[in-house]
Amino acid sequence: MGRLAQTDGLTEIQRDILATVRDFVDKEIIPVATELEHKDEYPTAIVEGMKQLGLFGLTIPEEYGGLGESLLTYALVVEEIARGWMSVSGIVNTHFIVAHMINAHGTQEQKDYFLPKMAAGEIRGAFSMSEPGLGSDVSAISTKGVKDGDSYVINGQKMWLTNGGTSTLVAVLCKTDEGGSSPYKNMTTFLIEKTAGFGPNPTVPGLTVPGKIEKMGYKGVDTTELILQDVRIPADRILGGAPGKGFYQMMDGVEVGRVNVAARGCGVARRAFELGISYAQQRSTFGKKIAEHQAIQFKLAEMATKVEAAHQMMVMAARKKDSGERNDLEAGMAKYLASEYCKEVVEDAFRIHGGYGFSKEYEIERLYREAPMLLIGEGTAEIQKMIVGRRLLEEYRIAE
């Protein structure tokens, strides 16, 4: 292990967890990742290994059977997993967001019922906010839940669900029109239990997961649509027990998700750097290793600096959230910086590989297709800049 992306101030338990995960990644993920990715095959054995390590319950409190670790610990674990294969980190990410939302906003009954099963990996979560015509404008949500007695009847179409098919619990944001004139008080999060699989769901009448969306990268993990036609959900499966709080609950989930995406960017960038500096010491041109050429040394220096800067920004954002302070500024900065730097580091490693980087035999080809997803997931660069810009104006507003 090199000196890049080290984190000061970790406890012995945190260091032990990261060492265990790093060993798991090196032995169980990296050797099979490219083959599984090319087949677009779900990493069943890897997921079972993560269950045994307790990673699905990493941040769930000990009273519910989890490890009770911090967002920082989780982010560092995600960084290690993404270094092996970014798709695997996506499998735990949406699960973690849903568990966080239930722990932070759920009723006691919801916590008691869901969290122990989520900690054990028996229930696996997915997070559903986006829609085909929604983009970044959450206020334009059209999937609607209408109250009918002690239930809600939901109709609509959701988009871009990571783990949409393999999950057994989906947190779904819907419009409920019970909060007055503000669109943000007219949204509600429903906790929908379902059977894993594609097609019409056998346990939830009216709910359909059509199939996997074919993607350029981020393969292995399933990304899906979710169609709801007169799906009836009991009112006690509203997250927190009361309608109208869904937007704020989802934004809390997205905030921790941005730290997660930053961590994924750090992990992919670190792996790209490792591949680039290794290949540069093996390939020879003009009578010497290409690592001895000044142009390549400059490129490696730039890559390493970006890896280090993104990692430290991600750590700062995670620690801010763990402290209980508002961290949308830091999370936005971290997500923006890490995803942009990831793209640049991966491209530089691709260039170092020359023509071989274009071959599917080399791991960098996979990373080159995976990095673009991080530019979009949990909000584009433009959205992050808007969030950061608004927060800066709040912090530095001059007296009039």
Side-chain angles (χ1 to χ4, degrees):
M1 181 180 173
R3 66 183 295 171
L4 291 182
Q6 299 297 301
T7 309
D8 293 332
L10 297 181
T11 65
E12 185 176 349
I13 292 175
Q14 287 174 313
R15 290 194 296 270
D16 287 345
I17 290 172
L18 291 174
T20 300
V21 173
R22 191 175 301 121
D23 184 64
F24 178 77
V25 168
D26 287 339
K27 292 179 180 178
E28 306 296 334
I29 298 182
I30 290 177
V32 300
T34 296
E35 180 183 357
L36 292 176
E37 197 272 348
H38 287 169
K39 294 179 180 178
D40 198 7
E41 181 177 328
Y42 189 78
T44 302
I46 293 172
V47 170
E48 288 302 315
M50 291 195 298
K51 281 185 184 179
Q52 293 175 17
L53 291 176
L55 297 187
F56 285 98
L58 187 62
T59 61
I60 294 174
E62 293 180 6
E63 63 190 282
Y64 300 110
L67 298 178
E69 278 295 326
S70 63
L71 175 61
L72 174 63
T73 305
Y74 180 78
L76 295 174
V77 165
V78 166
E79 181 180 24
E80 293 294 341
I81 293 173
R83 173 181 159 267
W85 184 12
M86 191 181 76
S87 293
V88 177
S89 68
I91 291 171
V92 294
N93 177 40
T94 53
H95 175 87
F96 161 69
I97 291 176
V98 176
H100 168 80
M101 289 169 61
I102 292 173
N103 187 51
H105 306 287
T107 65
Q108 191 60 53
E109 184 273 334
Q110 290 167 354
K111 295 178 186 180
D112 291 340
Y113 177 77
F114 287 112
L115 292 181
K117 296 178 182 179
M118 296 185 80
E122 296 172 11
I123 287 180
R124 300 244 299 282
F127 173 85
S128 179
M129 181 169 64
S130 188
E131 297 181 0
L134 192 61
S136 300
D137 183 10
V138 182
S139 66
I141 190 171
S142 61
T143 297
K144 192 166 185 177
V146 177
K147 188 170 176 56
D148 182 25
D150 59 357
S151 299
Y152 282 76
V153 178
I154 303 175
N155 284 279
Q157 182 179 5
K158 309 299 284 187
M159 193 71 174
W160 305 118
L161 277 77
T162 300
N163 299 319
T166 50
S167 63
T168 53
L169 171 66
V170 187
V172 182
L173 184 65
C174 301
K175 187 177 180 182
T176 48
D177 288 344
E178 296 177 278
S181 59
S182 171
Y184 300 106
K185 294 182 180 179
N186 283 303
M187 300 183 206
T188 300
T189 303
F190 291 90
L191 301 173
I192 302 179
E193 288 187 88
K194 68 179 187 65
T195 304
F198 299 97
N201 201 269
T203 57
V204 185
L207 186 146
T208 302
V209 179
K212 293 197 299 185
I213 298 171
E214 295 296 325
K215 300 163 294 187
M216 174 176 71
Y218 199 40
K219 294 178 179 290
V221 60
D222 49 291
T223 305
T224 75
E225 297 175 73
L226 184 71
I227 298 172
L228 304 104
Q229 296 177 311
D230 294 328
V231 173
R232 185 173 291 272
I233 301 298
D236 64 6
R237 283 297 175 259
I238 291 175
L239 179 61
K245 301 177 181 179
F247 175 78
Y248 307 100
Q249 294 164 345
M250 284 276 173
M251 289 304 104
D252 183 31
V254 167
E255 197 170 277
V256 296
R258 284 178 180 140
V259 175
N260 176 283
V261 172
R264 284 198 257 180
C266 291
V268 174
R270 180 145 57 95
R271 183 60 179 165
F273 171 79
E274 291 171 357
L275 294 172
I277 198 167
S278 175
Y279 184 81
Q281 295 173 78
Q282 298 172 49
R283 171 75 167 154
S284 296
T285 62
F286 303 101
K288 59 183 177 181
K289 304 294 185 185
I290 64 172
E292 297 176 33
H293 293 292
Q294 190 179 62
I296 299 298
Q297 291 178 8
F298 283 179
K299 197 175 291 293
L300 291 171
E302 291 170 0
M303 292 163 67
T305 302
K306 290 173 181 176
V307 167
E308 185 67 18
H311 173 83
Q312 299 302 336
M313 180 70 81
M314 178 270 292
V315 168
M316 179 184 69
R319 281 183 162 147
K320 193 84 168 180
K321 183 72 172 179
D322 282 332
S323 72
E325 297 180 66
R326 183 177 178 180
N327 87 324
D328 52 345
L329 174 68
E330 291 79 10
M333 286 180 169
K335 193 277 173 184
Y336 167 58
L337 190 78
S339 58
E340 294 292 334
Y341 276 179
C342 175
K343 176 201 69 171
E344 294 169 10
V345 171
V346 167
E347 182 171 342
D348 281 343
F350 177 83
R351 291 173 183 270
I352 287 172
H353 280 75
Y356 289 105
F358 208 62
S359 167
K360 284 184 175 287
E361 294 181 19
Y362 283 75
E363 190 178 341
I364 191 62
E365 180 270 344
R366 169 170 62 83
L367 270 60
Y368 194 78
R369 288 184 289 103
E370 289 178 337
M373 195 283 289
L374 298 172
L375 301 172
I376 302 166
E378 311 303 318
T380 63
E382 289 71 26
I383 288 294
Q384 308 310 320
K385 290 177 184 177
M386 183 176 69
I387 293 168
V388 170
R390 287 175 177 174
R391 286 289 287 115
L392 291 172
L393 286 171
E394 289 178 22
E395 293 285 339
Y396 290 88
R397 189 171 303 281
I398 60 174
E400 296 181 359

